[in-house]
Amino acid sequence: MDHILDGLDKENPWKGNDRFAAGIVKLLKPEFIFEIGTYKGYSSKCFAGPNIGMVLTIDINNHDVDFSEFANIVYKNVSSRDLYEIYSGPFIDIMHIDGSHKYEDVMYDINSWCNWLKDDGIILLHDVTNISSIAGFGPVKALFGSKFLYNGVYPGPNGIGIMTNSKEKFEILKNNFPISTLGALGITWTISLIGHLESYILPLFAEGEGS
């Protein structure tokens, strides 16, 4: 798998989460992984790299990604909502959500597609620590409002939220990766927000005072 990862786009926002994705697949051995938000295909290839199970990845935008090296990836240029209307299986072991980051869209993806999630399935939600733009608030708000029994965060680039009802699988992840609690994520967000206030908002007040 290393030669595949080495050739991927170094600027891809998913870069740095590759070992986590491949590690989850090796540990949990999922039969079916469903991904919302293909973009350049980096995460799709990371999930497919160990060659365990099938990966279905969808994107509303056609990014013309080359998956020719991966017989276990199926790519569809379709929206989450449109596919859901006609979907008939299989049930999902791991679902990676990285499409629209608007809160209502993230919640649609979770609430709708969890009907196809196996009882011990896992949802991975990217960008839960992305404070660099307002887009990051949808995923983190969804994670903090999770109704799943076990929730955490993998502290890779932009953060990956983890939601599951399986204590066994959550413990496997905690024992193999540095999974943070939601309380720790709250502290991270508070510090980041303070930094953004200092960097962006306070200068605006200073400009107003001098006018």
Side-chain angles (χ1 to χ4, degrees):
M1 179 179 170
D2 288 346
H3 76 285
I4 295 171
L5 297 181
D6 290 342
L8 295 176
D9 182 2
K10 303 303 182 183
E11 301 303 319
N12 192 290
W14 225 78
K15 179 70 178 177
N17 292 314
D18 43 11
R19 308 300 171 186
F20 175 66
I24 284 181
V25 173
K26 291 176 182 178
L27 286 168
L28 303 183
K29 296 178 171 49
E31 295 178 346
F32 186 65
I33 299 169
F34 177 52
E35 176 178 65
I36 300 173
T38 309
Y39 190 45
K40 294 185 179 181
Y42 191 95
S43 53
S44 316
K45 294 175 181 180
C46 292
F47 287 121
N51 199 27
I52 299 173
M54 291 297 300
V55 177
L56 170 60
T57 180
I58 67 171
D59 203 299
I60 194 171
N61 300 305
N62 189 357
H63 295 289
D64 193 27
V65 182
D66 181 11
F67 289 125
S68 58
E69 288 192 62
F70 297 86
N72 59 332
I73 294 181
V74 175
Y75 168 66
K76 293 184 180 294
N77 177 207
V78 64
S79 73
S80 168
R81 295 173 187 268
D82 288 345
L83 181 62
Y84 185 76
E85 293 299 319
I86 60 172
Y87 191 77
S88 58
F91 283 94
I92 301 164
D93 294 285
I94 297 175
M95 178 163 61
H96 174 226
I97 300 177
D98 195 14
S100 168
H101 285 23
K102 293 180 180 178
Y103 176 69
E104 58 270 23
D105 292 336
V106 175
M107 290 309 299
Y108 173 85
D109 290 340
I110 294 173
N111 292 332
S112 298
W113 285 101
C114 73
N115 293 314
W116 285 101
L117 189 70
K118 292 181 180 179
D119 290 342
D120 63 347
I122 291 175
I123 293 178
L124 303 177
L125 190 60
H126 192 222
D127 287 322
V128 296
T129 61
N130 180 11
I131 193 67
S132 62
S133 71
I134 194 67
F137 283 100
V140 77
K141 185 177 179 182
L143 180 60
F144 273 107
S146 170
K147 295 182 180 179
F148 287 83
L149 296 177
Y150 304 97
N151 304 276
V153 180
Y154 173 72
N158 292 332
I160 298 179
I162 301 166
M163 299 184 288
T164 183
N165 285 323
S166 171
K167 181 178 180 180
E168 178 184 0
K169 289 188 174 179
F170 191 70
E171 289 297 322
I172 290 174
L173 296 186
K174 283 179 61 180
N175 290 336
N176 287 275
F177 301 102
I179 305 300
S180 303
T181 64
L182 295 193
L185 177 60
I187 294 173
T188 299
W189 264 81
T190 300
I191 294 172
S192 297
L193 282 170
I194 292 173
H196 271 61
L197 282 170
E198 294 176 346
S199 300
Y200 299 105
I201 298 177
L202 294 183
L204 294 178
F205 285 101
E207 289 175 9
E209 291 173 358
S211 60

